[in-house]
Amino acid sequence: MRRLSFLTILGCATAMCTALPAHAQARERTGGPEKGTWGAEASINGGPAGSGGQGGSLIAFVTPTVALTGGLSFSRTSSRGEFIDESNLLFTPGITTVASNVGVRRYGRNGLGLRPIYGGGVLYTVRSVHGARRDNGVGGYAEAGAAWFFNPHVSLGALGGVSALRTDGSWDVRGSVARLTGAVYF
C-alpha cells in the first residue's frame, strides 16, 4: 500500500510539473479556475465512499465557484490470520472496494489562496470479499474541506465527508477523515 501511495504522489508531482508550463494559453489567468476550466485531481486516503485507498476525479468548472465532478477510488485490504490458541485461527478476509461518484462542488470564493470547498453527489460501489462474495451499493455523499490554489493551474487540499450506501437491503453510513488531494487545471 505504501508503494501505491508513493506512486500516486509521484504521479501528482509529475503532472504538476508538466502543467506549470501549460499556462501559456490564449489568455493569461490571474485568478483561480474560470468557467470552462477542466481539472484532474488525485487523492490519497480514498474517495467520497470513505473506503481508504487512492482515487482520482475529473473536474469541470461551470462557473468560477461551481464545478461538476466525476471520479473513481480503489482500496484493498489483504487477508490475514490471527492466532488465538493452538486449535483456533481467526481469519480476516481481504476486501477490495471500487467506488465511482458523480457530484457538484462549490468553492467558497474565487481567486487564489485558501478556498473552502463543499459539495455532494451520488455514489456507486462494488465490494468483493476475498474474491468470492460481491456487494453492490448505491447512495450519496457529502464532502467539505479546503484547497490552497497556488496559481490558476495547481491546488493542494484536504476533504472529509460522509456517505450513506444501501447494500443488500441495509444502509451503511461511513465518515471519512481527511483525504489529501492534488489537482491540476487546464
Side-chain angles (χ1 to χ4, degrees):
M1 188 157 161
R2 288 194 185 274
R3 184 171 186 207
L4 188 55
S5 295
F6 173 74
L7 292 175
T8 304
I9 293 169
L10 182 63
C12 286
T14 303
M16 286 182 208
C17 291
T18 58
L20 290 175
H23 69 78
Q25 295 178 354
R27 61 186 162 101
E28 183 66 28
R29 295 191 308 227
T30 57
E34 300 170 348
K35 178 181 177 179
T37 300
W38 283 82
E41 177 181 83
S43 62
I44 299 172
N45 200 20
S51 59
Q54 286 75 31
S57 298
L58 289 177
I59 303 169
F61 281 84
V62 293
T63 72
T65 58
V66 176
L68 301 175
T69 64
L72 290 171
S73 61
F74 174 81
S75 69
R76 182 178 178 130
T77 60
S78 60
S79 57
R80 64 173 204 240
E82 185 176 312
F83 183 72
I84 297 175
D85 59 28
E86 291 82 20
S87 62
N88 291 325
L89 181 68
L90 179 62
F91 180 70
T92 305
I95 300 173
T96 302
T97 305
V98 177
S100 62
N101 65 288
V102 176
V104 176
R105 267 192 202 160
R106 176 141 175 93
Y107 293 78
R109 64 177 187 81
N110 190 14
L112 301 179
L114 188 64
R115 295 176 68 179
I117 302 170
Y118 55 94
V122 294
L123 188 59
Y124 177 74
T125 63
V126 176
R127 185 176 74 168
S128 172
V129 180
H130 197 54
R133 195 177 97 207
R134 186 173 169 169
D135 299 329
N136 297 334
V138 177
Y141 71 94
E143 62 184 1
W148 184 271
F149 282 76
F150 294 97
N151 60 45
H153 305 284
V154 177
S155 71
L156 293 175
L159 292 168
V162 63
S163 65
L165 290 169
R166 183 150 176 94
T167 306
D168 292 335
S170 64
W171 285 95
D172 180 21
V173 178
R174 293 183 182 197
S176 64
V177 186
R179 68 181 193 273
L180 303 176
T181 63
V184 293
Y185 307 96
F186 310 98

